[in-house]
Amino acid sequence: MCYHTRLTAKADAIEKSSGASFDEPDTYKPTAEYNGFATPATPVIRFDDRKKILMYEWGLIADWVKTASDAKKARINCLNARIEELDEKASYKRKTGNRCLVAMDGMYEWQWESPGDKKSKKTRYLVTRPDNAVFLCAGLFNEWHNRETGIITYCYTIVTTQGNELMKEIHNNGERMLVVLSPEEYDAWLDPKNEHLAFADRSHIELKAVQM
């Protein structure tokens, strides 16, 4: 799973890569590391507003969550969503059509010296596209209504799949990777009519890893 990403590109580079424009450009600041557990607001593009880049909070809050205190706990478990389980999990099965694109230009992964032993030494890697360009990942969003205050939280999760060859090298045993999309797949992912499992195979996505 991936809980740390990077987006250091300038706003115009993100706009060029995504084919969309920031709704409020001043709300975006290039960031060397987004920590998902801090539920940061990062750039996303919704399927129903394709030409607009919005700042949504990482960590989806499901509709069944009732209070803000419950939301804080529940969303930490919804930073990533397994593509194979989207139709099964209560948090996602009614949101599979709420598709979005999540912008980044890097993601951080760790390699354990002794797989399975969380106390062993670990090495950090930055995974990017070969040209270090901005790329977009598959995501799902929600608009969570706080029943106590009426405030709406705009939030999302990033979809994951089985790791490709590069991830197998880093993770030792494969593990997971974000569903990194090729530019040709951006609009296809955003179309809810397309089966989400069609995006599970990421073997064709070219990435590189640099030890930090």
Side-chain angles (χ1 to χ4, degrees), residues 83-133:
I83 198 167
E84 307 92 338
E85 300 176 351
L86 295 185
D87 287 329
E88 304 169 9
K89 296 292 186 180
S91 297
Y92 311 126
K93 62 183 181 181
R94 291 185 176 83
K95 300 299 176 182
T96 56
N98 277 17
R99 299 190 186 182
C100 64
L101 301 171
V102 182
M104 62 189 72
D105 55 23
M107 47 191 171
Y108 296 99
E109 301 288 349
W110 281 261
Q111 182 182 67
W112 300 90
E113 187 175 82
S114 300
D117 181 3
K118 296 301 183 181
K119 295 182 179 180
S120 68
K121 179 182 178 181
K122 59 182 180 179
T123 302
R124 192 185 202 207
Y125 287 86
L126 172 64
V127 180
T128 67
R129 295 302 297 263
D131 59 0
N132 296 309

Side-chain angles (χ1 to χ4, degrees), residues 20-211:
S21 300
F22 276 94
D23 186 45
E24 298 181 63
D26 292 341
T27 61
Y28 167 70
K29 293 182 180 180
T31 302
E33 181 173 354
Y34 286 120
N35 179 348
F37 296 103
T39 63
T42 80
V44 304
I45 300 166
R46 293 170 51 139
F47 80 99
D48 55 355
D49 206 352
R50 175 64 180 87
K51 295 299 181 180
K52 189 178 293 184
I53 302 175
L54 304 165
M55 299 295 288
Y56 277 26
E57 294 180 9
W58 188 1
L60 186 141
I61 307 173
D63 290 335
W64 52 263
V65 176
K66 296 181 179 180
T67 67
S69 59
D70 289 339
K72 187 175 182 180
K73 300 174 184 177
R75 69 188 314 185
I76 296 303
N77 294 319
C78 293
L79 298 176
N80 293 162
R82 291 174 176 260
I83 198 167
E84 307 92 338
E85 300 176 351
L86 295 185
D87 287 329
E88 304 169 9
K89 296 292 186 180
S91 297
Y92 311 126
K93 62 183 181 181
R94 291 185 176 83
K95 300 299 176 182
T96 56
N98 277 17
R99 299 190 186 182
C100 64
L101 301 171
V102 182
M104 62 189 72
D105 55 23
M107 47 191 171
Y108 296 99
E109 301 288 349
W110 281 261
Q111 182 182 67
W112 300 90
E113 187 175 82
S114 300
D117 181 3
K118 296 301 183 181
K119 295 182 179 180
S120 68
K121 179 182 178 181
K122 59 182 180 179
T123 302
R124 192 185 202 207
Y125 287 86
L126 172 64
V127 180
T128 67
R129 295 302 297 263
D131 59 0
N132 296 309
V134 174
F135 57 90
L136 306 181
C137 291
L140 300 176
F141 71 87
N142 194 27
E143 299 177 3
W144 181 71
H145 294 251
N146 186 319
R147 303 175 191 180
E148 300 170 319
T149 65
I151 295 174
I152 300 175
T153 298
Y154 298 88
C155 50
Y156 71 89
T157 185
I158 309 177
V159 180
T160 69
T161 188
Q162 291 293 327
N164 61 14
E165 289 303 314
L166 177 62
M167 291 302 170
K168 290 177 182 177
E169 292 179 19
I170 295 175
H171 291 308
N172 307 111
N173 59 356
E175 287 199 21
R176 310 290 295 179
M177 68 176 287
L178 301 182
V179 176
V180 179
L181 300 167
S182 65
E184 296 76 23
E185 295 176 309
Y186 294 168
D187 288 328
W189 169 255
L190 288 178
D191 187 347
K193 295 179 182 178
N194 292 326
E195 172 57 48
H196 58 266
L197 286 175
F199 301 88
D201 182 5
R202 296 294 92 191
S203 60
H204 63 289
I205 297 296
E206 190 175 357
L207 301 168
K208 70 174 183 179
V210 177
Q211 184 174 327

